[in-house]
Amino acid sequence: MARVLTPRAEDFPRWYQDLIAKAQLADNGPVRGTMVIRPAGYSIWERMQAEMDNRIKIAGAENAYFPLFIPESYLKREAEHVEGFSPELAVVTHGGGKQLAEPVVVRPTSETVIGEFMAKWVDSYRDLPLLLNQWANVVRWELRPRIFLRTSEFLWQEGHTAHATEDDARSYARKILHEVYEDFMVGVLGIPVVVGRKTNRERFAGATSTYTLEGMMGDGKALQMGTSHELGQNFAKAFDISYSAASGGVEHAWTTSWGTSTRMLGGLIMSHGDDNGLRVPPRLAPIQAYVMVVKDGDGVTAAAHKLRDALRDAGVRVGLDDRVDTAFGRRAVDAELKGYPVRIEVGPRDLAAGNAVVARRFDGSKTPVPVADVVGRVLAVLEEDQQRLHDEALAFRESHTVEVSTLADAIAATATGWARVPWSAVGVEGEAQANGQGVTVRCLVRADGSVPDSQDEPDLVAILGRSY
């Protein structure tokens, strides 16, 4: 089994590409930088969408949809925004066989077009807050593509909100950060993210504050898993999102934007995958338990069907493999690659003894369990292994993060993981120096781990690392 994939320790990037191909998660698209997400990968994305969408709606936002094509002039209204995105833009100049009067940009993000419509829809303080989210595709031309991590087109959700006050906007940006993103990433993905503030150098183009969730991957590099931005009044002034205040005057709104994408699939692979394939956390898994007929025999297939139905009735997302015309070993390898959390193997010999075998993807262990106890055992294993995946990832992050006091030591430490260093020992000049060596300040946190309001607060800690 070890040679189905290139071992992680031998060549991590090759292992990642092997896993995506062998687990049938995705393929490269026909245009450089694009990807085809296969059913096995898309079903995981659908579970991510469902979990996230539920949390987004609980936070009060409503789903909408805005156009893929955006007039080029919209982006030019917010100077810092267009400057930040211009190298990545795909621009359409012809349509219907004719040159367009104005070029249109293929959506890289939607602050501008949503800002235009917020200005139309907001008239009074009674119209605020306006809380919107959309699930869409975006295009950012990518020179060094890697499936799920950096592709010219990817899928995401982007939230956009308008508020009457700066405090309300800040509170909502942080609500999304913690109650939607952090809750989902830690509780469902099982990835122990560090939540912090981006430096001014790293913040989103046009934002006043950017908050981030950083995950450590299996090679010690960082992956930005999601971001939430305070946009101040920059976009509100550029698009005249103004309202009649309760006091009688006219004021500009305060806006936010926030997003996560199919990049989380890459994070899932690199956080939890092993030399046998993907390991999908049970709370996320489209198939939590996979019932497999080892080989046909008296009553075996019927028993497998009965177990499948009992698990489904208990609320487990369950799959059934009764393809006895395909070698069991090959099917088991495929199930390992796809990362199903639990397999229930039903064969003539075990069934004759009144048992089925419960195989755990987390550690590869196999245990004969009386058929009558299988459902209870599976429910317990799913809960246990969700926690074990998180705890394993947390232990890895902690063992690959060092506390240092100088920039030089921090940069050296990023060869194998992350460094925590006083922000005062780095500063703006030190950050530029680190960037020159391929190292970034992933985020700033307070000493107690909370998220700072400004990079100028005293005693902040900088997390430095190499990243995807």
Side-chain angles (χ1 to χ4, degrees):
M1 279 225 35
R3 296 310 301 179
V4 172
L5 303 176
T6 301
R8 284 200 336 162
E10 183 180 301
D11 187 337
F12 193 85
R14 180 64 184 272
W15 164 83
Y16 177 79
Q17 298 293 354
D18 280 358
L19 193 158
I20 287 171
K22 298 287 176 62
Q24 300 178 344
L25 299 177
D27 214 333
N28 289 305
V31 175
R32 177 178 163 79
T34 61
M35 63 177 166
V36 176
I37 305 176
R38 300 183 66 175
Y42 199 81
S43 63
I44 297 173
W45 174 240
E46 285 180 312
R47 286 283 306 130
M48 289 180 172
Q49 282 183 300
E51 292 281 351
M52 294 269 293
D53 197 60
N54 183 53
R55 287 166 173 77
I56 288 166
K57 284 171 178 165
I58 289 171
E62 296 180 292
N63 285 338
Y65 186 79
F66 292 84
L68 176 68
F69 296 125
I70 302 171
E72 191 177 49
S73 58
Y74 280 24
L75 273 80
K76 291 180 177 175
R77 287 196 225 169
E78 216 293 326
E80 190 180 337
H81 190 65
V82 70
E83 183 182 346
F85 275 103
S86 59
E88 301 176 328
L89 296 181
V91 183
V92 179
T93 57
H94 288 72
K98 297 179 181 178
Q99 185 165 344
L100 301 177
E102 179 188 350
V104 297
V105 171
V106 183
R107 171 177 54 218
T109 181
S110 299
E111 279 78 7
T112 58
V113 67
I114 293 179
E116 175 78 4
F117 283 87
M118 281 182 165
K120 287 178 65 175
W121 298 340
V122 172
D123 192 40
S124 157
Y125 69 92
R126 296 183 184 89
D127 299 322
L128 297 173
L130 178 57
L131 311 175
L132 302 173
N133 178 65
Q134 81 165 344
W135 292 93
N137 60 336
V138 286
V139 171
R140 299 179 185 177
W141 215 256
E142 186 56 57
L143 298 178
R144 292 186 299 277
R146 187 176 295 180
I147 289 180
F148 294 134
L149 300 176
R150 291 194 174 275
T151 49
S152 294
E153 180 194 12
F154 55 90
L155 305 180
W156 77 346
Q157 61 72 214
E158 51 176 320
H160 300 268
T161 69
H163 305 261
T165 66
E166 182 176 22
D167 283 349
D168 194 47
R170 175 169 296 142
S171 173
Y172 197 78
R174 291 196 175 211
K175 182 186 186 78
I176 293 295
L177 182 74
H178 295 296
E179 295 178 21
V180 177
Y181 292 168
E182 183 180 10
D183 184 72
F184 167 71
M185 291 171 191
V186 175
V188 179
L189 294 187
I191 297 177
V193 289
V194 171
V195 186
R197 180 187 186 88
K198 286 291 189 187
T199 64
N200 293 351
R201 185 184 181 96
E202 290 286 327
R203 72 187 174 200
F204 179 71
T208 57
S209 297
T210 289
Y211 308 111
T212 183
L213 304 102
E214 301 284 329
M216 181 182 282
M217 303 297 100
D219 59 354
K221 288 184 180 178
L223 184 71
Q224 179 180 290
M225 300 282 291
T227 48
S228 184
H229 315 285
E230 289 179 54
L231 304 177
Q233 292 180 308
N234 293 344
F235 286 89
K237 288 177 178 175
F239 290 89
D240 195 25
I241 309 170
S242 57
Y243 67 97
S244 300
S247 60
V250 175
E251 298 181 14
H252 281 105
W254 300 79
T255 65
T256 78
S257 67
W258 26 277
T260 55
S261 74
T262 39
R263 167 175 270 227
M264 290 191 293
L265 277 161
L268 174 74
I269 295 165
M270 294 193 294
S271 292
H272 297 317
D274 64 15
D275 283 349
N276 294 330
L278 191 57
R279 293 188 300 173
V280 185
R283 287 180 198 155
L284 178 70
I287 294 175
Q288 296 172 306
Y290 197 54
V291 181
M292 303 183 72
V293 176
V294 178
K295 68 177 183 179
D296 214 357
D298 188 30
V300 173
T301 300
H305 280 256
K306 195 174 287 187
L307 275 172
R308 186 267 316 271
D309 294 343
L311 286 161
R312 183 182 288 159
D313 289 345
V316 177
R317 294 185 292 276
V318 61
L320 174 69
D321 180 358
D322 55 4
R323 299 170 297 156
V324 291
D325 56 341
T326 301
F328 177 74
R330 180 176 171 184
R331 291 184 286 134
V333 167
D334 187 57
E336 293 262 297
L337 282 165
K338 288 190 167 71
Y340 304 138
V342 182
R343 298 195 312 278
I344 300 95
E345 300 175 355
V346 185
R349 190 179 305 166
D350 289 304
L351 198 58
N355 295 329
V357 173
V358 173
R360 303 170 78 148
R361 180 64 185 86
F362 175 77
D363 58 10
S365 65
K366 290 189 171 190
T367 310
V369 175
V371 170
D373 299 338
V374 164
V375 172
R377 182 65 182 141
V378 166
L379 290 170
V381 163
L382 292 175
E383 204 55 41
E384 289 168 18
D385 288 356
Q386 176 76 33
Q387 190 63 45
R388 291 169 79 192
L389 276 170
H390 171 274
D391 293 350
E392 182 185 83
L394 179 61
F396 180 84
R397 189 188 80 195
E398 290 181 342
S399 67
H400 288 76
T401 302
V402 296
E403 299 268 355
V404 297
S405 57
T406 68
L407 176 63
D409 286 347
I411 291 172
T414 62
T416 54
W418 295 357
R420 289 172 51 91
V421 60
W423 173 232
S424 58
V426 180
V428 176
E429 289 184 8
E431 183 178 13
Q433 184 182 330
N435 290 173
Q437 298 183 53
V439 175
T440 49
V441 177
R442 301 314 303 159
C443 63
L444 303 174
V445 296
R446 292 180 178 138
D448 65 0
S450 61
V451 180
D453 293 327
S454 160
Q455 74 172 35
D456 300 322
E457 286 184 22
D459 304 322
L460 293 183
V461 176
I463 312 291
L464 270 68
R466 299 179 186 275
S467 67
Y468 284 97

